[in-house]
């Protein structure tokens, strides 16, 4: 799914470091870098990468996530990689027989945000592709992080795991409304424009005998107005509705205008 807009680049707020312990394939490291930048994370640390570093295949797989690739730091041990961190979450998909709190990505993100806001440095620990973290590395972490998935098939590749956890981090600080109307820059119709349309529509419906019998007319009018208000039309759309009314009332007159706006309708042009 494409959606990169480089004109909207801005400094990213601090986030947890992503630590990959003994990653095996350069391609996987590159895809992790891409997933990280998708979620606003830029600090990637590698512990004994099998294929070495720098790695051309990682750079290719990163698909432009240079902010991550260029800042990669190498470590010989997991202890060294997390030495400057105050809180570490270790990802795992299976029980470890240790007495440790296990959280979901959403809860980990909430706690990570709180730690970051308090000025403390945090990290997310991921193990090798084939086997995951060993228990000695797990023991270095404060908290375990497990992604709820189909228990009969819970295996994730490395980039998928980083993306799921990173996206939870991103959502915890995101203020995007759950729903919005994309009007393409068109302004919503004013109440005056709406009332003008209602009155013309109701006049046309009276002429056709639709608003009958008289005792039901007030309720029918209210229902029609409520329906159009729910649509939240733009000024351009209301102009189109005016044209429909005129065409239905006088189709021959409409043809005389050659498709132009009939008299009495707004002549606003769409933006751009």
């Amino acid at each position: 799914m494409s959606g990169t807009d480089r004109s909207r680049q801005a400094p990213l707020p601090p986030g947890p470091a992503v630590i990959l312990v003994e990653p095996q394939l350069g391609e996987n490291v590159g895809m992790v870098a891409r997933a990280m930048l998708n979620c606003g994370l830029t600090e990637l640390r590698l512990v004994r990468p099998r294929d070495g570093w720098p790695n051309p295949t990682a750079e290719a797989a990163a698909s432009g996530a240079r902010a991550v690739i260029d800042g990669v730091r190498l470590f010989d041990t997991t202890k060294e990689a997390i030495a400057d961190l105050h809180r570490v979450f270790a990802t795992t998909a299976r029980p470890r027989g240790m007495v440790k709190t296990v959280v979901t990505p959403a809860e980990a993100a909430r706690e990570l945000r709180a730690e970051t806001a308090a000025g403390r440095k945090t990290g997310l620990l991921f193990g090798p592709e084939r086997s995951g973290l060993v228990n000695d590395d797990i023991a270095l972490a404060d908290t375990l992080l497990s992604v709820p998935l189909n228990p009969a098939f819970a295996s994730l590749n490395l980039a998928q795991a980083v993306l799921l956890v990173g996206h939870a981090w991103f959502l915890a600080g995101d203020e995007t409304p759950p729903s919005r109307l994309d009007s393409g820059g068109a302004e919503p119709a004013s109440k005056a424009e709406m009332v003008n349309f209602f009155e013309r529509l109701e006049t046309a419906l009276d002429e056709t005998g639709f608003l009958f019998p008289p005792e039901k007319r007030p309720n029918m009018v209210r229902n029609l107005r409520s329906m159009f208000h729910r649509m939240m039309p733009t000024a351009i759309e209301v102009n189109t509705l005016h044209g429909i009314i005129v065409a239905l009332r006088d189709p021959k007159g409409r043809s005389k205008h050659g498709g132009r706006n009939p008299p009495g309708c707004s002549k606003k042009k769409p933006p751009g």
Side-chain angles (χ1 to χ4, degrees):
M1 183 168 62
S2 178
T4 298
D5 183 355
R6 300 194 186 280
S7 68
R8 300 176 63 184
Q9 287 183 344
L12 293 169
V18 172
I19 305 110
L20 306 183
V21 180
E22 297 183 353
Q24 296 169 335
L25 297 174
E27 293 94 326
N28 289 343
V29 175
M31 287 187 284
V32 164
R34 181 177 183 177
M36 287 174 60
L37 198 56
N38 285 153
C39 301
L41 300 174
T42 58
E43 187 177 355
L44 178 59
R45 305 179 182 189
L46 305 180
V47 179
R48 300 186 304 278
R50 188 191 68 180
D51 292 348
W53 195 264
N55 189 307
T57 59
E59 295 181 16
S63 296
R66 301 295 314 185
V68 179
I69 292 294
D70 291 345
V72 166
R73 297 170 60 189
L74 294 177
F75 296 88
D76 292 327
T77 67
T78 304
K79 287 190 293 185
E80 292 172 336
I82 66 171
D84 63 326
L85 305 180
H86 302 97
R87 182 84 183 273
V88 175
F89 289 75
T91 60
T92 182
R94 61 182 187 274
R96 296 296 184 141
M98 299 182 189
V99 181
K100 283 186 180 289
T101 301
V102 182
V103 298
T104 63
E107 174 59 21
R110 187 190 67 78
E111 296 180 18
L112 285 165
R113 288 277 175 181
E115 296 282 356
T116 301
R120 291 186 281 271
K121 299 183 68 174
T122 61
L124 295 163
L125 204 57
F126 295 85
E129 294 91 323
R130 181 174 297 178
S131 57
L133 292 166
V134 298
N135 284 345
D136 286 344
D137 288 333
I138 292 282
L140 296 172
D142 303 282
T143 309
L144 299 187
L145 193 164
S146 184
V147 180
L149 293 168
N150 174 9
F153 193 71
S155 176
L156 294 170
N157 67 40
L158 190 54
Q160 287 175 325
V162 171
L163 182 61
L164 280 173
V165 177
H167 189 239
W169 155 266
F170 187 84
L171 286 181
D174 183 53
E175 297 180 354
T176 302
S179 176
R180 65 185 175 91
L181 176 65
D182 189 349
S183 64
E187 292 294 323
S190 69
K191 294 306 177 189
E193 290 171 317
M194 292 296 293
V195 170
N196 182 35
F197 162 67
F198 291 149
E199 290 175 348
R200 296 191 70 192
L201 174 63
E202 291 151 17
T203 297
L205 294 176
D206 280 329
E207 291 173 357
T208 64
F210 181 82
L211 298 176
F212 184 85
E215 63 271 16
K216 291 188 177 180
R217 186 184 187 281
N219 192 48
M220 296 172 73
V221 166
R222 285 191 290 270
N223 287 340
L224 283 169
R225 292 189 176 200
S226 295
M227 179 178 69
F228 281 105
H229 272 307
R230 286 198 305 273
M231 292 168 59
M232 296 185 291
T234 65
I236 296 169
E237 290 168 335
V238 169
N239 188 46
T240 300
L241 292 171
H242 276 294
I244 291 172
I245 294 171
V246 173
L248 291 175
R249 294 174 72 184
D250 184 10
K252 293 182 179 179
R254 177 68 175 176
S255 64
K256 289 177 184 177
H257 290 290
R260 296 190 299 273
N261 289 320
C265 293
S266 170
K267 294 183 174 61
K268 291 182 179 179
K269 294 182 179 180

